[in-house]
Amino acid sequence: MNWPYELQIGWRYTRAGRGGRRNRFISFISGVSMLGIALGVAALIIVLSVMNGFQREVRDRMLSVIAHVEVLSYQGAALPDWQATAAKARENPAVVGAAPFVAAQALVARGEDMRGAMIRGISPADEATVTPLAAELKDGVLSRLKEGEWGIVLGIEMARSLGVREGDKITLVAPSGQVTPAGVVPRLKQFTVLGTFNAGHYEYDSSMAMIHIEDAQRLFRVEAPTGVQLKLRDVHEAREVAQQLALSLGPDVRVRDWTRTNANWFDAVQVEKRLMSIILTLIVAVAAFNLVSTLVMTVTDKQADIAILRTLGASPRSIMCIFMVQGAASGVIGTFSGVAMGLVVAFNLDVIVPAIEHLLNVSFLPGSIYLISHMPSDPQRGDIIPIAITSLMLAFLATIYPSWRASRVQPAEALRYE
C-alpha cells in the first residue's frame, strides 16, 4: 500500500537503532518508555481485576448467607403479621421468594470457651427459597432442625474454635436476663450441635449459628418473627427495589437491602479502587511522558534530516506529523503490550499466585483477615477500555511539544555546520 510519507518516516524513526551509538541510545530510551507504559497498563489491569474479583467473591459468598432485602420491625420487636408483610412484598414483580426469621445476638459457650454469635432463627423449608446456602443444605443438615428439639447448626470456623462436632452440647446465653427473687440471672439453654455450614466467608463462618425459628422465638421471648427475608430476581436492583418496598409497606417497618447491610465494607472497596486507579494511572503518565525526552533527543539528532525534508518541500505540519507518528507508535505498542500482558496475568492469576505461595511458602490472603483465602480475578471491559484509552491519550499528548519543536527547525540553521 502507498502509505503517506509522514507515516513511513515516523515508523522508520521508531524502529531506528542500528545506525550509530547515539541512535542506539535513543532507541534504548524509547524502548524503556514503551516498557514503562506496558508495565503501568498491565499493573493497572491486574490490580483492578483483583479488586473486582475480590468484591465479587465476597459479595457472592455474603449473599449465599443473607437475603437480598430484609424487612425488619423497629427495635428488634416482632412483626405483627409477617405473612401479610410477605404477601405485600411479593406483589412487587422483582420479589421471587420470602422467608421469616428471628435475628439476635447471643453468647455460645462450651466449658470455659465462650464466643459471641449472630443467632438466626429460620424456617428450613422457607429459608431454602431465599438463600443459596440454605437451598444447598435443605436436604442435609438443615433438615435436622426440628421445632422443640433445640438443635443448632454452627459456622465451620466457630465449631472449630469451640472444638465441637456433631452431637456435642453447647449452651446459648440470651442477652436479656430473667428476673428471679435472687435478682436478674442470664437465660441459658442447652443446644445439640446438628452439624456445620461453610459459606466460604470468614465473618459468617466464625460468628453465625442457625436454629429453628420456633426455638428462637421461645429463647429470645418474641411472639413472632422479627423480620422477613426477600429474594430478588436481579441482585443488582436491590437498592431500587428496597426503596419501592419501603413506600409500599409503609412506615411501620424498616427495609434494608444487602448493599446497606455491609455498606462500610463496600464503600471502602470503592474508595480503594478509585485511589489505586489514580496512583497507577500516574505511573502510566510518568512512563508516557518519558516519550518527551525520547522525542526531544530524536529531534536534536534528526535536525539535518528535517532540514533536507523542508528543502524538498515538506511543510511544518508534515514534520510535526512525522514525530507525532513516532511517539504515538511507541504509545500504541506499549499500551497494547500492557493490555495483553495484564489480561494474560489476570486470567491466570488462580495458577500464578498459588505457585508463588508454594515457592515462597507464604500465604498472601489469610482468611481471618481478608474474608477469603485465595486471589480472585475479574477483568472487566469497563475497566480495560478506559485504561487503554487513557494510556493512548497520555502518549499522544506527550508527543505534541517535541513535534511542534521539530516543525520550528529552520533549514538554514540546521545545515549551517553540516
Side-chain angles (χ1 to χ4, degrees), residues 149-416:
E149 295 186 3
W150 303 101
I152 188 169
V153 179
L154 301 176
I156 190 169
E157 294 294 337
M158 180 185 289
R160 187 177 292 124
S161 65
L162 291 172
V164 299
R165 62 183 65 182
E166 184 178 335
D168 289 346
K169 303 290 185 180
I170 62 172
T171 301
L172 253 62
V173 183
S176 55
Q178 143 178 344
V179 180
T180 68
V184 178
V185 296
R187 275 201 325 278
L188 310 176
K189 185 62 184 178
Q190 193 173 65
F191 282 77
T192 302
V193 178
L194 302 179
T196 62
F197 65 86
N198 184 4
H201 189 296
Y202 185 83
E203 180 180 346
Y204 293 105
D205 288 340
S206 63
S207 62
M208 187 172 175
M210 291 184 282
I211 62 178
H212 196 280
I213 190 168
E214 297 293 339
D215 294 343
Q217 290 176 209
R218 294 191 186 96
L219 177 64
F220 298 110
R221 294 188 174 179
V222 291
E223 298 176 356
T226 58
V228 176
Q229 301 179 95
L230 303 176
K231 182 179 180 180
L232 305 184
R233 194 180 310 276
D234 185 355
V235 63
H236 301 291
E237 296 179 354
R239 183 164 294 191
E240 180 182 348
V241 174
Q243 293 173 352
Q244 297 171 2
L245 291 172
L247 295 175
S248 63
L249 296 177
D252 296 332
V253 295
R254 180 164 53 98
V255 181
R256 182 176 63 183
D257 65 272
W258 66 270
T259 64
R260 300 185 189 279
T261 303
N262 297 273
N264 291 337
W265 187 86
F266 282 101
D267 290 344
V269 170
Q270 290 300 324
V271 170
E272 289 176 4
K273 186 177 177 180
R274 282 194 288 268
L275 289 176
M276 290 302 297
S277 299
I278 293 171
I279 293 170
L280 293 174
T281 300
L282 291 176
I283 295 175
V284 177
V286 170
F289 280 96
N290 279 339
L291 293 173
V292 174
S293 58
T294 302
L295 290 178
V296 167
M297 287 189 292
T298 303
V299 169
T300 303
D301 185 56
K302 302 296 184 182
Q303 286 202 11
D305 295 2
I306 296 170
I308 293 171
L309 288 170
R310 289 294 309 277
T311 304
L312 293 174
S315 65
R317 181 177 179 180
S318 295
I319 300 299
M320 188 172 180
C321 287
I322 289 172
F323 290 95
M324 289 185 72
V325 166
Q326 180 185 355
S330 300
V332 169
I333 294 171
T335 297
F336 285 101
S337 299
V339 169
M341 189 190 313
L343 290 177
V344 168
V345 174
F347 280 114
N348 294 279
L349 212 57
D350 56 340
V351 177
I352 296 172
V353 173
I356 296 175
E357 289 180 334
H358 178 73
L359 181 65
L360 301 179
N361 196 25
V362 297
S363 177
F364 293 138
L365 291 175
S368 59
I369 300 175
Y370 297 102
L371 306 179
I372 58 177
S373 57
H374 69 281
M375 188 81 75
S377 179
D378 182 22
Q380 294 183 1
R381 183 182 303 175
D383 291 328
I384 296 169
I385 293 177
I387 290 171
I389 292 174
T390 302
S391 176
L392 291 173
M393 288 180 61
L394 290 173
F396 177 78
L397 290 174
T399 66
I400 293 177
Y401 175 72
S403 302
W404 176 80
R405 285 285 303 271
S407 70
R408 305 292 293 177
V409 171
Q410 298 298 323
E413 293 293 328
L415 295 174
R416 175 175 295 177

Side-chain angles (χ1 to χ4, degrees), residues 82 99-101 121-128 134 142 145 211-214:
W82 75 265
F101 71 96
I122 64 169
S123 170
D126 294 327
E127 186 77 8
L142 290 189
L145 287 176
I211 62 178
H212 196 280
I213 190 168
E214 297 293 339

Side-chain angles (χ1 to χ4, degrees), residues 61-173:
R61 296 189 180 194
M62 186 183 301
L63 292 179
S64 72
V65 183
I66 64 174
H68 299 161
V69 175
E70 293 179 346
V71 181
L72 304 165
S73 60
Y74 284 99
Q75 299 179 347
L79 286 174
D81 188 353
W82 75 265
Q83 292 95 339
T85 302
K88 184 71 174 176
R90 280 182 175 274
E91 294 177 4
N92 190 306
V95 178
V96 295
F101 71 96
V102 173
Q105 299 285 335
L107 291 176
V108 179
R110 183 176 187 264
E112 295 183 356
D113 291 332
M114 188 171 292
R115 299 284 186 277
M118 299 181 293
I119 306 300
R120 204 166 190 87
I122 64 169
S123 170
D126 294 327
E127 186 77 8
T129 65
V130 294
T131 60
L133 181 66
E136 181 182 337
L137 301 176
K138 178 182 178 182
D139 298 325
V141 66
L142 290 189
S143 63
R144 304 174 199 168
L145 287 176
K146 306 293 184 183
E147 177 186 352
E149 295 186 3
W150 303 101
I152 188 169
V153 179
L154 301 176
I156 190 169
E157 294 294 337
M158 180 185 289
R160 187 177 292 124
S161 65
L162 291 172
V164 299
R165 62 183 65 182
E166 184 178 335
D168 289 346
K169 303 290 185 180
I170 62 172
T171 301
L172 253 62
V173 183

